[in-house]
């Protein structure tokens, strides 16, 4: 990406998680193109469990394991991005970045487009034999030797920046730190030094504001009557205008719903930040102690004053492992004494499943006590008197068992409640799925080789 000093970089975000809206990108791309400025479009589609599920999908189908909505996300905007020179950067590679790159190649061909230059980032997957000893040492007795599903490091922005500087039009990654999706394009565009900690920290926090998509434009913020957001059904996704200083202005496409205000930006700025004075990323440690959030216009908020410090030289690694089978069953009760009948149904399930195994059974009374109840069915606060008059209650039972065969017992028992009582139960639904557990550790960055390669020839770049 050409280094145009002092020229702002526009970075738009069109997804905040796997399964996000597939029509979000088009308004963002129109705004990026209309700006006439250097621009990049990011899709953040990877969460901790998303990556482990992608690994399981790839076990079943070697050509799977990347973002399942990849074509739906890119098809509406791929041609416009290539035409206007808007680079695309995403972690939708998940467990199979090369597979995602091939999918994009097929999509471009189907749309009659010239083959785009696609770079694939590698190095995050540390599940292989070469890293086992380090993982055992870091996790000790918590290392799931026999049940390992995946182990992935949250790598940083360097490979993304290098690929863009080499001329990549699309960069496909697996597990990278979410803000690195924005920092990489900023590094490529401005040509900052990798130890220019203040600029790195500021662009990192711009990426942090973008990474959850429409949260910063009012989506997760909305609370009617308290925090009202206009036209929520047509929510616009965010754009960060990043300056050479690293400071940024957050906005959204004109004509879209939602809002960008000091309050939406402050909420997202602190979202999942464990320590505002030391927000750890693989690229830099960001310090928000002197940060300033200021409204500069309608749907325009500027973030400035973030400071940066050297990163700690380590990558966070998430290790996912098989953790048994989760069975779920639900049944509804309505009318007089609905809660009492639902509670009786739960007691029947607990007795039928019996023994020590029943201690792993979770019961929720949705509409009465689910969010506020604990795993033993106890309410955290005193039960309101109105609960006794509940007219519509849905019992949810969840049971974690070591094997699929054991877990299936719950589904059979919930189905049996149709005629085995209590009276009036209906609307049974059951589900059974493999459960994944996660443990985390730190590994030295120097022990993990990262880089990128061109999708068409597989030859690694420096």
């Amino acid at each position: 990406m050409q280094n145009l000093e002092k020229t702002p970089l526009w970075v738009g975000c069109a997804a905040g998680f796997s399964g996000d809206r597939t029509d979000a990108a088009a308004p963002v791309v129109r705004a990026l193109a209309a700006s006439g400025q250097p621009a990049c479009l990011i899709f953040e589609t990877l969460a901790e469990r998303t990556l482990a599920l992608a690994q399981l999908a790839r076990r079943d189908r070697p050509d799977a394991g990347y973002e399942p909505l990849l074509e739906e996300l890119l098809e509406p905007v791929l041609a416009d991005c290539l035409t206007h020179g808007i680079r695309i950067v995403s972690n939708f590679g998940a467990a199979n970045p090369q597979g995602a790159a091939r999918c994009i190649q097929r999509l471009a061909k189907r749309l009659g487009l010239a083959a785009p230059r696609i770079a694939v980032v590698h190095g995050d997957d540390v599940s292989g034999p070469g890293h086992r000893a380090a993982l055992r040492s870091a996790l000790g007795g918590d290392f799931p030797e026999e049940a390992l599903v995946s182990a992935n490091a949250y790598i940083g922005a360097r490979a993304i920046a290098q690929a863009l500087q080499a001329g990549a039009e699309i960069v496909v990654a697996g597990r990278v730190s979410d803000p690195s999706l924005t920092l990489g394009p900023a590094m490529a565009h401005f040509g900052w030094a990798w130890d220019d900690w203040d600029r790195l920290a500021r662009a990192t926090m711009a990426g942090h504001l973008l990474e959850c998509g429409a949260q910063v434009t009012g989506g997760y913020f909305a609370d009617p009557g308290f925090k009202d957001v206009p036209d929520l059904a047509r929510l616009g996704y965010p754009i960060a205008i990043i300056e050479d200083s690293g400071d940024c202005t957050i906005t959204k496409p004109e004509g879209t719903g939602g809002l960008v205000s000091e309050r939406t930006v402050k909420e997202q700025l602190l979202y999942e930040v464990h320590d505002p004075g030391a927000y750890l990323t693989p690229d830099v440690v960001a310090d928000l102690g002197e940060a300033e959030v200021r409204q500069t216009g309608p749907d325009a908020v500027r973030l400035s004053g973030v400071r940066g410090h050297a990163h700690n030289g380590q990558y966070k690694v998430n290790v996912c492992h098989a953790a048994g089978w989760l069975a779920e069953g639900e049944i509804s009760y309505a009318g007089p004494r609905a809660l009492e009948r639902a509670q009786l149904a739960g007691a029947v399930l607990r007795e039928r499943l019996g023994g020590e195994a029943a201690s792993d059974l979770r019961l929720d009374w949705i509409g009465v006590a689910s969010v506020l109840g604990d795993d033993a069915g106890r309410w955290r606060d005193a039960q309101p008197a109105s609960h006794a008059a509940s007219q519509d209650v849905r019992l949810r039972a969840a049971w974690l068992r070591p094997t699929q065969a054991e877990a299936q017992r719950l589904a059979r028992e919930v189905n049996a409640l149709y005629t085995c009582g209590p009276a009036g139960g209906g609307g049974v639904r059951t589900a059974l799925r493999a459960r994944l557990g996660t443990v985390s550790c730190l590994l030295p960055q120097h022990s993990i080789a990262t880089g990128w390669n061109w999708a068409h020839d597989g030859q690694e770049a420096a």
Side-chain angles (χ1 to χ4, degrees), residues 231-250:
D231 204 3
L232 198 63
R234 297 176 58 251
L235 200 59
Y237 280 52
I239 296 168
I241 304 171
I242 303 175
E243 305 162 18
D244 184 58
S245 65
D247 295 333
C248 71
T249 296
I250 302 298

Side-chain angles (χ1 to χ4, degrees), residues 294-356:
R294 180 168 57 88
Q295 193 91 34
T296 59
D299 293 318
V301 173
R302 190 170 188 268
L303 171 65
S304 62
V306 175
R307 302 300 301 273
H309 310 286
H311 60 76
N312 63 5
Q314 296 179 306
Y315 288 133
K316 176 185 175 181
V317 176
N318 272 356
V319 178
C320 289
H321 57 92
W325 287 81
L326 180 66
E328 294 178 276
E330 296 182 5
I331 185 170
S332 292
Y333 295 88
R337 295 171 302 282
L339 175 59
E340 287 79 1
R341 284 179 284 131
Q343 289 174 320
L344 177 56
V348 169
L349 289 177
R350 195 174 293 281
E351 185 172 350
R352 292 283 300 175
L353 295 172
E356 293 185 5

Side-chain angles (χ1 to χ4, degrees), residues 427-458:
V428 169
R429 292 182 182 176
T430 62
L432 183 68
R433 64 180 183 273
R435 187 175 183 271
L436 298 170
T438 303
V439 291
S440 300
C441 65
L442 299 174
L443 291 184
Q445 291 189 6
H446 64 74
S447 69
I448 299 174
T450 65
W452 63 277
N453 56 265
W454 293 114
H456 69 273
D457 59 17

